[in-house]
Amino acid sequence: MSGMPTTQLGTGGPEVGAQGLGCMGMSFAYGPTDADEARATLERALELGVTLYDTADAYGMGENEKFLSPFVKAHRDELVIATKFALSIPPEDPTKRIIRNDAPYIREAVDASLRRLDIDVIDLYYMHRRDPDVPIEETVGVMAELVAAGKVKHLGLSEVTGSELRAAQAVHPIAAVQSEWSLFSRDIEEGVVPAAAELGVALVPYSPLGRGFLTGSFVNADKDLSADDFRRQQPRFTGDNAAANAALLEPVHAVADAHGASLGQIALAWVQQRAGVHGLPVVPIPGTRKRTRVEENAAATRITLTDDELALLEPIAAKVAGDRYPDMSFTSAGRE
């Protein structure tokens, strides 16, 4: 097994490898996939010390959970499986989001996820997105019932504000908050991160590689990615924004050269070092479908950036052109 460090997800939460794996792209959102290579990637990640595996019922309308099921069952005692409820994406309009936080829906959703994963209990269950019309205390109250019923071990929230996190924590302990956090996306540092640090809640950054943009794997989504790739809908990866943002990678290249590392490894090292900066557990979940990438990503846990390097990277986020999503109302930043 690997020497990857471990960390605890929140007060009383599970112990996991310091880097997790986002599994969405294995069956959803990022164009064609190779199922055999994706399965091999899951196994290789575990060998490297990755123990937190992240999915959601929205990923491929449940197909991602089904895809992960054999792997999860084969290694049930070695890993932490996280999934989510509350969000659905209509196939006829992938730009649209339907969000539900009501009690009947949650009870139905958890049972459906348990069936697709074919397991008895979900280790970490997230509210994927927030419906502002349903009090968060009510939603977390229902989630707490799932813990009492033995269907869920730990609770998480995604894209909540600092005040929403505080309200939720007053109802039931929250192990983790999942939000976008990277060199390109730092809006959560305003309210969410301080609240999480204060409450003893872990941060699980999704898209720590800027959906691949920070690795240099593509420059303009319209030109470089397949027609069914989700990133073609995101403002910062298309048109003039894409060209402006590609230029921001120059200091990342400089730091990568100094370490003999890839751009992605520097981006991950930066996210990982937020733990020390802000005083809370941070477990990024970069997504990949390839063994070579998961090996590269895991190696980033051994990179430490100097103060001078961190200072060089500091100005990037403030210069990024374009929002994270076409509609930011579904994010914590849209409600802060």
Side-chain angles (χ1 to χ4, degrees):
M1 294 296 284
S2 99
M4 182 181 287
T6 62
T7 191
Q8 188 178 16
L9 288 183
T11 306
E15 189 87 9
V16 296
Q19 188 182 106
L21 180 64
C23 301
M24 177 177 81
M26 293 180 175
S27 42
F28 174 70
Y30 293 140
T33 187
D34 178 337
D36 289 338
E37 178 63 19
R39 278 189 282 270
T41 300
L42 293 170
E43 296 286 350
R44 183 66 180 129
L46 191 60
E47 290 172 2
L48 292 165
V50 173
T51 57
L52 176 63
Y53 292 80
D54 186 88
T55 183
D57 60 5
Y59 301 161
M61 295 184 291
E63 288 304 312
N64 196 236
E65 289 177 325
K66 291 179 187 175
F67 175 79
L68 289 174
S69 175
F71 170 73
V72 173
K73 289 170 66 184
H75 301 284
R76 193 66 194 97
D77 297 333
E78 302 169 68
L79 57 79
V80 170
I81 184 67
T83 192
K84 315 178 193 74
F85 73 90
L87 175 65
S88 58
I89 302 167
E92 68 278 6
D93 184 1
T95 64
K96 192 175 179 186
R97 301 288 183 269
I98 298 169
I99 298 173
R100 288 185 62 182
N101 289 174
D102 56 285
Y105 177 82
I106 297 169
R107 296 185 183 113
E108 186 181 300
V110 72
D111 288 341
S113 285
L114 286 166
R115 279 195 302 273
R116 285 188 293 265
L117 288 162
D118 195 16
I119 55 178
D120 296 326
V121 60
I122 293 164
D123 299 316
L124 177 59
Y125 200 42
Y126 287 101
M127 180 189 78
H128 202 162
R129 290 292 185 272
R130 166 109 168 87
D131 177 0
D133 293 332
V134 179
I136 196 160
E137 295 87 347
E138 189 178 306
T139 301
V140 176
V142 178
M143 294 170 73
E145 291 173 13
L146 306 180
V147 177
K151 295 181 178 183
V152 171
K153 288 184 182 177
H154 304 284
L155 302 185
L157 303 169
S158 181
E159 289 286 1
V160 291
T161 67
S163 60
E164 288 166 351
L165 175 57
R166 288 189 177 90
Q169 180 79 2
V171 176
H172 188 279
I174 302 298
V177 168
Q178 185 174 138
S179 285
E180 188 166 353
W181 201 7
S182 73
L183 281 169
F184 265 35
S185 301
R186 296 181 60 179
D187 50 73
I188 66 167
E189 293 175 23
E190 187 74 27
V192 185
V193 171
E198 171 195 320
L199 298 169
V201 177
L203 237 299
V204 176
Y206 73 81
S207 300
L209 296 171
R211 301 194 183 276
F213 195 85
L214 287 165
T215 70
S217 61
F218 73 99
V219 175
N220 187 308
D222 287 334
K223 298 173 183 173
D224 301 338
L225 303 177
S226 61
D228 58 350
D229 196 299
F230 165 74
R231 291 168 288 188
R232 290 172 65 123
Q233 304 160 22
Q234 295 185 299
R236 59 180 49 170
F237 302 140
T238 56
D240 292 342
N241 287 347
N245 292 335
L248 298 178
L249 296 179
E250 190 175 325
V252 189
H253 279 283
V255 176
D257 289 346
H259 282 266
S262 69
L263 297 184
Q265 287 174 324
I266 298 307
L268 286 170
W270 181 89
V271 173
Q272 287 153 193
Q273 283 180 241
R274 299 302 92 193
V277 172
H278 296 282
L280 79 172
V282 176
V283 182
I285 49 168
T288 187
R289 303 173 283 191
K290 296 178 181 176
R291 281 169 284 183
T292 53
R293 284 293 191 195
V294 86
E295 289 164 357
E296 177 186 325
N297 292 346
T301 60
R302 299 192 290 272
I303 295 174
T304 301
L305 305 178
T306 67
D307 289 345
D308 286 346
E309 289 166 343
L310 292 171
L312 196 62
L313 301 172
E314 182 65 25
I316 292 174
K319 299 176 182 176
V320 172
D323 282 332
R324 297 198 269 132
Y325 294 98
D327 181 355
M328 287 290 286
S329 66
F330 301 114
T331 68
S332 59
R335 298 190 305 279
E336 283 282 14

